[in-house]
Amino acid sequence: MNKQSFALITAALVSALISGCGTRIDAIQDTATYALFGRPDLTLTAEQIDERRFPLQYVTLGQQPRVALGLAFNDKGLYKWLSQSQEVLVTHHGRIVQTQGLKNDLAWVDNLAADPLVCLTKGGSHCQLNWRTTAQVGNGLDMAETTIQSRFEQQGQQTLNLTHTDPMQVIHWRETITTAAGEQWVNHYWLEKETRRVVKSEQTISPAFPLTVTEEIKPYSGDLNSGGSQ
């Protein structure tokens, strides 16, 4: 996905979601909580989860309270998650690649086809584990563009206890990111062993964007086939 395509998504995303998935969005608004209201961390009940037909995930953005987002649309592998107040978070094979409606949005991430997560979530056995990309946070005078080098290392198999599931077997991947300015940090991804979908992550693509924690509540059926996300 190139920069121009992401700009088009930014301009049309909410209207497209509303026109194409109106019923689903209304249902999502029943269960999602908007972080900027300053409410405590959200925890859905088992009954609330069972009642919803769409996929759900928890998201904790920086120091904000944890919220629940519902999957509103799958745009050829770009998963568009929606909050109660129509904030949008877009993921690609488990990586956050765009947001809309935040104070300082992640505008775009380039070179997504070469992201090691694409191969890893498809169950590849000889994945290229190095990646170079550029990301933009903000626009205009508030724009920060960062070019990074990424290196993935497998940390082995683990048993992961998510909030709403039985313990699951996962493969833990550690991603070390280094910027051209020498800044460095570590992201983490936990991939369910059989399907290779990302069920939990701690990640950011830019020092200008807060560390974000994601945790699967209810999986997307398209990810449950062995080999990972589409």
Side-chain angles (χ1 to χ4, degrees):
M1 178 63 64
N2 58 32
K3 301 175 186 179
Q4 291 77 15
S5 295
F6 269 122
L8 291 174
I9 291 174
T10 301
L13 189 53
V14 171
S15 62
L17 289 173
I18 291 173
S19 63
C21 305
T23 301
R24 178 173 291 177
I25 288 172
D26 290 341
I28 290 170
Q29 290 177 342
D30 291 338
T31 61
T33 301
Y34 185 34
L36 296 186
F37 288 164
R39 297 174 179 172
D41 285 353
L42 174 69
T43 299
L44 299 178
T45 66
E47 290 75 18
Q48 287 175 317
I49 295 169
D50 289 342
E51 288 171 358
R52 270 63 198 180
R53 296 187 297 272
F54 46 82
L56 294 163
Q57 68 170 333
Y58 287 130
V59 175
T60 306
L61 185 73
Q63 300 301 312
Q64 295 187 33
R66 182 177 72 183
V67 299
L69 301 184
L71 181 61
F73 197 58
N74 173 7
D75 182 9
K76 299 179 181 178
L78 288 171
Y79 292 4
K80 300 173 184 180
W81 303 84
L82 190 68
S83 76
Q84 174 183 340
S85 295
Q86 297 184 10
E87 295 171 312
V88 178
L89 182 147
V90 182
T91 60
H92 182 257
H93 293 266
R95 186 185 298 278
I96 299 168
V97 297
Q98 189 190 29
T99 65
Q100 183 176 353
L102 304 181
K103 182 178 180 180
N104 201 27
D105 277 315
L106 174 60
W108 49 259
V109 179
D110 69 4
N111 199 23
L112 291 181
D115 185 349
L117 278 173
V118 175
C119 181
L120 294 174
T121 56
K122 290 181 177 180
S125 57
H126 300 286
C127 297
Q128 171 58 250
L129 300 179
N130 294 298
W131 182 46
R132 180 182 174 89
T133 188
T134 300
Q136 179 181 311
V137 177
N139 290 286
L141 296 177
D142 296 325
M143 184 271 289
E145 191 170 301
T146 304
T147 297
I148 61 108
Q149 294 280 355
S150 162
R151 168 71 180 175
F152 276 78
E153 298 174 289
Q154 187 179 141
Q155 304 299 295
Q157 296 186 26
Q158 300 176 3
T159 300
L160 184 63
N161 294 286
L162 298 180
T163 306
H164 295 292
T165 66
D166 294 331
M168 65 173 66
Q169 295 302 305
V170 298
I171 301 170
H172 177 197
W173 286 90
R174 171 189 171 108
E175 180 188 30
T176 301
I177 290 182
T178 306
T179 71
E183 297 170 285
Q184 191 172 86
W185 65 89
V186 175
N187 293 337
H188 297 271
Y189 304 89
W190 289 266
L191 280 61
E192 197 273 330
K193 184 178 177 182
E194 296 300 323
T195 65
R196 296 296 200 273
R197 72 188 191 276
V198 175
V199 294
K200 182 178 179 179
S201 75
E202 299 173 2
Q203 59 170 299
T204 186
I205 198 66
S206 166
F209 195 79
L211 180 70
T212 303
V213 178
T214 69
E215 178 183 325
E216 180 181 279
I217 304 173
K218 193 168 190 174
Y220 172 48
S221 60
D223 289 339
L224 296 180
N225 296 324
S226 180
S229 55
Q230 301 298 309

